[in-house]
């Protein structure tokens, strides 16, 4: 009997933000390949029969290369195992989920995808920031800040309106904020960083866009964090105060 692969979104990190389907598949799993952003504290109880393999890091802190993960998924399924690939957030939002699905399909392995709650929406929400709000923002754009945003992307975002959400954006925060202002976005535009949203370690940092890098450095905000830019940030509890204080001290 050939095995199968289920690509599961584990949500933003809180155990009770996993889906019922995710828990059911984990319960039946023979092997689980998991990432460091997925909720893992209770993984041994959720997947009682499974071998648990951390592919997010290795001794020496190197991630397992994507090709190797693809190979492991296919090899395990070929040997007849029920394989779960557990990822943080949603598997198809910057999770390289599509590459894993392709690898399975190319190998003729049955593969299913279980959506998860993406941090792009849930981390802002946990800080009281809705990505859309009637009268303030009627759209949101989710973009990766893993590599510095191009001038074209910065120019487009600066004039797009709505809410901008940047994932993997801590390393390029200064480039993004300065670039948006250079392309015409007001430095007074409200911006917020939500670190480890939806977890007990959640921290929030709110400042005008022109000062978000400084505010973030002062607060020591670190990855994983979501950057939110737009008027909706004003709706976070205490935001107006933070935005005023920083403008005055500028
Ligand atoms: N597939 C994931 C995103 C993977 S990219 C999802 O849908 O959420 C990894 C980035 O996600 C991190 O750099 C960070 O920007 C964001 N992220 C993931 N979990 C987060 C959390 N709990 N709080 C804030 N940001 C988070």
């Amino acid at each position: 009997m050939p095995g199968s692969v289920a690509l599961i979104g584990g949500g933003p990190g809180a155990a009770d933000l996993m889906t019922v389907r995710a828990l059911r598949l984990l319960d039946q799993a023979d092997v689980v390949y998991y990432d460091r952003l997925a909720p893992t504290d209770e993984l041994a109880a959720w997947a009682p029969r499974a071998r648990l393999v951390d592919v997010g890091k290795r001794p020496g802190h190197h991630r397992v290369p994507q090709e190797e993960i693809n190979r492991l998924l296919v090899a395990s399924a070929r040997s007849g195992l029920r394989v779960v690939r557990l990822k943080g957030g949603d598997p198809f939002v910057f999770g390289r989920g599509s590459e894993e699905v392709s690898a399975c399909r190319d190998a003729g392995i049955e593969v299913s995808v279980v959506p998860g709650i993406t941090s792009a929406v849930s981390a802002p929400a946990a800080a009281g920031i809705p990505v859309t709000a009637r009268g303030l923002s009627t759209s949101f754009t989710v973009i990766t800040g893993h590599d510095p945003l191009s001038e074209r992307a910065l120019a487009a975002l600066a004039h797009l309106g709505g809410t901008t959400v940047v994932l993997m954006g801590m390393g390029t925060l200064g480039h993004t904020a300065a670039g948006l202002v250079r392309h015409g976005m007001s430095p007074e535009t409200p911006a917020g960083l939500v670190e480890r949203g939806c977890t007990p370690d959640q921290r929030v940092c709110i400042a005008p866009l022109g000062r978000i890098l400084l505010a973030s450095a002062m607060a020591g905000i670190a990855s994983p964090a979501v950057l939110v830019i737009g008027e909706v940030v004003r709706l976070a509890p205490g935001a107006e105060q933070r935005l005023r204080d920083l403008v005055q001290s500028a």
Side-chain angles (χ1 to χ4, degrees):
M1 266 277 286
S4 58
V5 173
L7 221 72
I8 296 182
D16 55 356
L17 288 177
M18 292 275 287
T19 64
V20 174
R21 189 182 298 181
L23 293 178
R24 184 170 51 74
L25 286 164
L26 280 167
D27 185 55
Q28 299 163 354
D30 298 310
V31 57
V32 179
Y33 295 102
Y34 64 94
D35 273 347
R36 90 204 133 87
L37 284 177
T40 52
D41 287 354
E42 297 171 47
L43 196 50
W46 290 337
R49 283 195 306 262
R51 190 163 62 86
L52 308 178
V53 185
D54 181 356
V55 290
K57 58 174 186 279
R58 257 185 181 172
H61 299 291
H62 287 301
R63 297 170 67 93
V64 177
Q66 187 63 48
E67 298 66 36
E68 175 68 5
I69 295 174
N70 297 352
R71 203 191 58 72
L72 286 167
L73 297 178
V74 168
S76 297
R78 276 211 174 118
S79 68
L81 300 179
R82 274 170 297 194
V83 182
V84 164
R85 171 73 174 111
L86 180 63
K87 298 159 121 13
D90 184 274
F92 279 179
V93 178
F94 301 131
R96 304 193 70 169
S98 62
E99 294 164 54
E100 294 172 10
V101 166
S102 298
C104 292
R105 285 201 185 128
D106 290 350
I109 303 291
E110 180 194 326
V111 56
S112 62
V113 178
V114 179
I117 296 179
T118 180
S119 64
V121 174
S122 60
I129 305 171
V131 288
T132 70
R134 207 173 162 82
L136 283 182
S137 170
T138 56
S139 68
F140 64 99
T141 304
V142 182
I143 190 161
T144 168
H146 183 270
D147 299 315
L149 293 180
S150 67
E151 291 302 306
R152 230 176 117 203
L154 288 165
L157 285 173
H159 297 286
L160 189 58
T163 307
T164 299
V165 179
V166 186
L167 301 194
M168 295 179 274
M170 287 310 294
T172 53
L173 179 60
H175 170 86
T176 303
L180 289 172
V181 171
R182 187 157 32 81
H183 282 282
M185 193 179 269
S186 166
E188 302 304 326
T189 308
L193 284 163
V194 186
E195 176 189 293
R196 297 189 180 279
C198 306
T199 77
D201 304 322
Q202 172 173 309
R203 294 201 302 151
V204 181
C205 171
I206 290 175
L209 181 60
R211 293 176 61 85
I212 192 70
L213 179 64
L214 181 64
S216 154
M218 283 168 67
I221 301 291
S223 244
V226 164
L227 168 65
V228 194
I229 304 164
E231 290 302 315
V232 288
V233 173
R234 291 189 194 284
L235 299 176
E240 290 295 354
Q241 180 73 40
R242 296 284 304 146
L243 294 163
R244 257 199 314 274
D245 288 354
L246 280 155
V247 170
Q248 273 163 16
S249 66

